[in-house]
Amino acid sequence: MKSKESLFEKLLPASLKNSISNGLTGRNYQLLRLMLCSIMLLISMVPVLVVASLGYHNYGHLVNKTERQQTEWQLDGKIKSIEHMIESLTSIVQFTARNDRYAELIVGDNLRDLYERLNRQYVYFADLGVIDQDGIQRAYYGPYALMGANYSRETWFKEVIEQNLYISRVYTGYRHVPHFAIAVSNINPLTQQPWVLRATIDATTLQRFINTIKTNASDDLFLIDEDGVLQTESSYYGRPLTKIDIHLVPGFQEIVSRDQEQLSQITSDIKRTPWTLVLLKKSYVHQSDWKNFRNTLFLIVVTCLLLSMVIVCTLVMALTEVIRRADTMQIGMLKEAEHTDKLASIGRLAAGVGHEINNPLAIIGQKTGLIEDFLILSEDFKHKQVISDSLRVINQSVDRCKAITHRLLGFARRTDVVIELLQVNDVIKEVLLFLDNALLYSRIKLELHLDDLLPQVTSDRMQLQQVFLNVLNNAIDAIGKDGLISIRTHTIAGDIRVVIEDNGPGIPDDILPHIFEPFYTTKETGKGTGLGLSITYGLIKKLGGDITVRTHLGQGTAFTITIPLRNESHDREDK
C-alpha cells in the first residue's frame, strides 16, 4: 500500500499536491486552475455525452425497426392488391376460355362479339386471339393483322400449353405500345387437343393500378422484371421498359439513391407473374420525427455542456481562490513557525553566552574593585591617576557588559515573572516619566488616547515597562527631531490592545522581517545593541500576548501590543 501511495505521489502533478510539498514558493495556480477545470469538465461532460450517444443510437434503432415493420406491412397489402387484380383478370380470361368454346370462337364474328361484351365491362383489353394446338392463330379481333400468325416456336406458347396459364412481361412488340398478355389453355372436347385464348392488356392498366395503391406512406412503388426492366414508371428510375441497375434481394434493405439519399427498399415477387414489386421509402433519417429528435437532443446536449462549463469554471475559480488563500495562510504560518524557532534557538544561545560571560565579568569587577581599594590606601605615585582612570573605564565597560548579559538573560526567560493586578494605562504613564527629557530634547509631541474604562490585567509590571520603554525608545530614535508619537489603548475581544504609532520614516520592506531578530540593528555602531525589539518580543510572548507591526515608508510605523487580561501561561505554570 505504501509503494502504491509513493507511486501515486510521484505521478501526481505538483500543482495538485499540498502546499507544504511545494515549499514556501507555493504552487502554480494557473496550472492548478487549468487542471481542475479539465478534470471537472471531463467528469461532468463524459456522462452527458455517453447518455446522449446511447439515446441517439437506441432511438435510431427503434425508429428503424418500426419503419421496417410498417414498410413490410405496406408492401404485404400492396402485394395482395396486385395479386387480387391479376387473379381477377386471369379469372375473366379463364372463364371466357371454357373448353367447349373453341369451335364457337373461331367462326364468324363470335370473337368480336365476345371482345365487345368484355370491353363494355373491362375497358383495358386491347385484343383477343384464339390459337390452335399447332400455335396457329385461328381467330383474332383487334387493331392489328395477326390472323394466321404462328406462335408454335414461341416460349410462351409452350409454357401455356404445359401450365394452362401464362402472364407475360410488359413489352412493346410490333405494336410499339407497352402491353402484356394473359394466355390460358384448355382442351377441345371434340378433338381432345389443347387450344389457347390469348388476351392482350394495355400496360397503362398496370400503371393506373399502381398509382391507385400508392400512398404517401411510400416514396416510390413500381414493378420490375427479373432482368431489371421497369414494368411501370418509377419516380426514382424513370419510365417503363427502362433497364436499371438495381439489386433485387427479397426483403428489406437500405440503399443510397443516385441523389445520395438514404432509402429503405423492400421487394417481393408477385405470384404467377414475372414481376417483382419494389417499394422505396426515404430512410427515417429524412423523417421529421427523427429530425426533431436529433435537433432536440443536440440542443439539450449543447445546453448541458455549456451549463457544465459555466458552473465548472465558476466553481474552479472559487475553489482555486480558496486554495490560494489557504496556501497563503499556511505558508505564512510556516514562515512564522520558522521565525519563532529561529528566535528560540538564538535565545537559547544568547542565554548560554550571557551566563558564561557573567562569571568572568564578576571576577573582573571584583579584581578591579580590589585594585581601586589598593590605590586608595597607597601613596601617590607616578601614573596613579592614569591607572585610576583606566580602572574607571574598565568598570564602565563591565557595567555595560552586565547590562547586555542581563538583557540576554531576560530575552531567554532567565528572569522571573512577578504577576500582579495592574492598570496598563498607569504602566504607560510610568514609562513616559522616564522619557520626558528625551521627548523634550527631540521636540517630539506626544498624543495619548488612553481608554479610562480599561480593565485591570494580571501581568508583570516591570516587564511591561520594559516592553513599552523599548518600543518608545525605538520610536524616538526613528523620528529624530520634531515628530509625533501617538499612544492608544482600548479593549478588543477580551484583551488589552496598545497601539504606539510614530510619524517617522517607516521601515523598509527588506528590513521589516528582521526587526525582532537578536543583534539586528540599523542604528550607528555603539548606539544600539540590536536586542531591544527581540527582548520586547520575548517578553510579550512570555506574558501571553502578541506584538505586530505595520509600517509605510515616509508615513510612519505602528506597533500593536496585545496583552491578555489574565496571563494564562503563568497560570498553567502555577498549576
Side-chain angles (χ1 to χ4, degrees):
M1 185 66 186
K2 185 176 180 180
S3 60
K4 290 182 179 178
E5 291 178 352
S6 299
L7 180 61
F8 177 76
E9 288 289 337
K10 291 180 180 178
L11 295 177
L12 193 65
S15 294
L16 292 181
K17 295 179 180 177
N18 58 60
S19 59
I20 297 177
S21 301
N22 290 280
L24 298 179
T25 57
R27 67 180 91 225
N28 187 335
Y29 293 98
Q30 186 175 2
L31 179 60
L32 173 65
R33 192 180 298 112
L34 179 62
M35 295 180 68
L36 287 178
C37 193
S38 301
I39 293 173
M40 294 181 71
L41 283 176
L42 187 66
I43 293 174
S44 61
M45 288 184 176
V46 166
V48 174
L49 294 176
V50 170
V51 171
S53 299
L54 290 176
Y56 181 85
H57 290 290
N58 286 339
Y59 186 74
H61 177 72
L62 178 63
V63 173
N64 189 22
K65 183 179 179 180
T66 303
E67 180 191 66
R68 177 172 179 169
Q69 291 176 345
Q70 291 178 349
T71 306
E72 289 175 347
W73 293 339
Q74 293 171 11
L75 186 72
D76 288 341
K78 298 181 190 309
I79 287 289
K80 290 179 181 177
S81 298
I82 295 176
E83 287 179 347
H84 178 71
M85 181 203 70
I86 297 300
E87 186 176 354
S88 298
L89 292 174
T90 304
S91 298
I92 293 171
V93 178
Q94 287 176 334
F95 178 77
T96 305
R98 297 197 308 269
N99 54 1
D100 57 347
R101 299 201 66 185
Y102 174 74
E104 175 189 350
L105 294 177
I106 61 175
V107 297
D109 296 329
N110 291 335
L111 187 61
R112 184 194 64 185
D113 296 339
L114 174 62
Y115 174 83
E116 291 176 350
R117 288 198 299 273
L118 286 174
N119 224 23
R120 284 196 289 271
Q121 297 293 329
Y122 314 103
V123 296
Y124 37 77
F125 285 100
D127 58 17
L128 292 175
V130 178
I131 304 168
D132 63 10
Q133 70 277 6
D134 297 324
I136 306 299
Q137 187 153 259
R138 295 300 180 184
Y140 172 79
Y141 182 78
Y144 307 106
L146 298 177
M147 187 65 183
N150 188 354
Y151 299 110
S152 59
R153 295 183 179 180
E154 298 290 338
T155 304
W156 67 266
F157 179 74
K158 297 177 181 177
E159 186 174 338
V160 71
I161 293 298
E162 293 174 356
Q163 300 180 4
N164 298 328
L165 175 64
Y166 171 77
I167 299 176
S168 73
R169 303 175 184 177
V170 175
Y171 62 101
T172 55
Y174 51 79
R175 292 179 175 87
H176 304 293
V177 175
H179 62 280
F180 68 97
I182 298 178
V184 298
S185 65
N186 214 328
I187 300 297
N188 186 352
L190 298 178
T191 61
Q192 295 300 314
Q193 294 294 325
W195 66 280
V196 174
L197 176 61
R198 183 172 182 270
T200 303
I201 301 173
D202 193 338
T204 56
T205 304
L206 273 178
Q207 186 64 58
R208 286 196 296 270
F209 190 79
I210 291 296
N211 294 339
T212 301
I213 64 176
K214 180 181 176 182
T215 64
N216 292 331
S218 58
D219 295 295
D220 197 6
L221 184 68
F222 58 90
L223 292 172
I224 190 172
D225 64 10
E226 58 185 6
D227 295 329
V229 178
L230 289 175
Q231 304 296 285
T232 59
E233 184 176 356
S234 168
S235 57
Y236 277 92
Y237 297 104
R239 299 185 58 79
L241 301 181
T242 302
K243 184 173 178 57
I244 63 174
D245 184 15
I246 185 172
H247 189 53
L248 291 176
V249 177
F252 182 90
Q253 60 178 326
E254 293 182 352
I255 64 172
V256 178
S257 70
R258 289 178 291 189
D259 297 332
Q260 300 303 315
E261 285 184 327
Q262 293 187 5
L263 301 174
S264 297
Q265 173 183 295
I266 184 167
T267 60
S268 180
D269 296 335
I270 300 175
K271 295 178 182 178
R272 299 194 300 178
T273 71
W275 303 326
T276 298
L277 182 64
V278 179
L279 186 149
L280 293 178
K281 184 177 181 180
K282 291 182 179 178
S283 179
Y284 68 95
V285 297
H286 300 290
Q287 295 179 12
S288 59
D289 291 342
W290 172 254
K291 290 180 179 178
N292 292 335
F293 167 77
R294 187 180 57 189
N295 295 337
T296 303
L297 181 64
F298 177 78
L299 182 62
I300 292 174
V301 171
V302 171
T303 303
C304 290
L305 295 181
L306 290 177
L307 285 176
S308 299
M309 292 179 65
V310 172
I311 294 173
V312 165
C313 290
T314 304
L315 288 177
V316 167
M317 294 290 289
L319 183 60
T320 306
E321 181 61 21
V322 171
I323 293 175
R324 189 187 65 78
R325 291 181 180 179
D327 287 350
T328 303
M329 184 180 298
Q330 190 173 18
I331 291 173
M333 293 174 66
L334 285 174
K335 290 182 178 179
E336 183 71 18
E338 288 182 1
H339 184 68
T340 302
D341 185 66
K342 183 179 179 181
L343 290 178
S345 299
I346 295 176
R348 287 192 293 271
L349 175 63
V353 172
H355 182 71
E356 293 299 327
I357 290 177
N358 265 344
N359 293 331
L361 288 177
I363 295 172
I364 293 173
Q366 182 183 5
K367 297 302 181 183
T368 305
L370 181 60
I371 294 173
E372 287 177 338
D373 291 340
F374 281 132
L375 286 177
I376 294 173
L377 296 176
S378 62
E379 297 178 354
D380 291 338
F381 57 90
K382 189 179 180 180
H383 304 305
K384 181 179 181 180
Q385 186 60 39
V386 175
I387 294 173
S388 178
D389 293 341
S390 299
L391 290 173
R392 187 173 61 256
V393 173
I394 291 173
N395 283 330
Q396 290 176 351
S397 298
V398 169
D399 291 340
R400 177 175 173 79
C401 291
K402 284 182 178 178
I404 294 174
T405 56
H406 178 74
R407 289 185 178 184
L408 284 175
L409 291 174
F411 173 73
R413 305 179 66 176
R414 290 293 185 181
T415 57
D416 296 331
V417 176
V418 179
I419 296 300
E420 59 179 312
L421 194 61
L422 55 87
Q423 175 59 253
V424 173
N425 289 341
D426 294 340
V427 177
I428 294 174
K429 292 175 182 176
E430 292 168 4
V431 172
L432 291 176
L433 291 176
F434 296 110
L435 300 173
D436 277 347
N437 292 332
L439 293 172
L440 182 62
Y441 175 75
S442 300
R443 300 189 297 275
I444 295 176
K445 183 180 179 183
L446 181 66
E447 290 184 355
L448 294 179
H449 305 280
L450 305 181
D451 187 358
D452 296 333
L453 301 178
L454 210 64
Q456 290 184 321
V457 300
T458 55
S459 189
D460 188 298
R461 179 180 297 273
M462 296 300 292
Q463 296 194 4
L464 281 180
Q465 287 178 348
Q466 183 69 42
V467 168
F468 296 143
L469 185 62
N470 289 343
V471 175
L472 287 170
N473 275 329
N474 275 346
I476 293 171
D477 293 340
I479 292 173
K481 301 291 184 180
D482 299 323
L484 174 65
I485 294 177
S486 171
I487 303 176
R488 186 185 307 275
T489 62
H490 60 277
T491 57
I492 182 169
D495 294 331
I496 303 297
R497 181 162 290 178
V498 180
V499 180
I500 302 176
E501 184 177 4
D502 65 69
N503 63 348
I507 304 174
D509 292 340
D510 57 334
I511 295 177
L512 187 61
H514 308 290
I515 61 173
F516 292 118
E517 294 180 2
F519 304 111
Y520 186 86
T521 180
T522 58
K523 298 178 182 178
E524 299 175 359
T525 305
K527 191 172 182 180
T529 61
L531 291 172
L533 286 179
S534 60
I535 290 173
T536 300
Y537 184 86
L539 290 177
I540 201 65
K541 286 293 182 183
K542 185 166 59 178
L543 296 175
D546 193 17
I547 181 169
T548 59
V549 58
R550 293 181 293 108
T551 183
H552 296 283
L553 281 178
Q555 298 181 17
T557 303
F559 284 87
T560 301
I561 301 167
T562 303
I563 304 169
L565 291 181
R566 291 186 60 80
N567 191 338
E568 296 181 355
S569 60
H570 185 266
D571 292 345
R572 286 195 296 270
E573 290 177 1
D574 290 344
K575 291 179 181 179

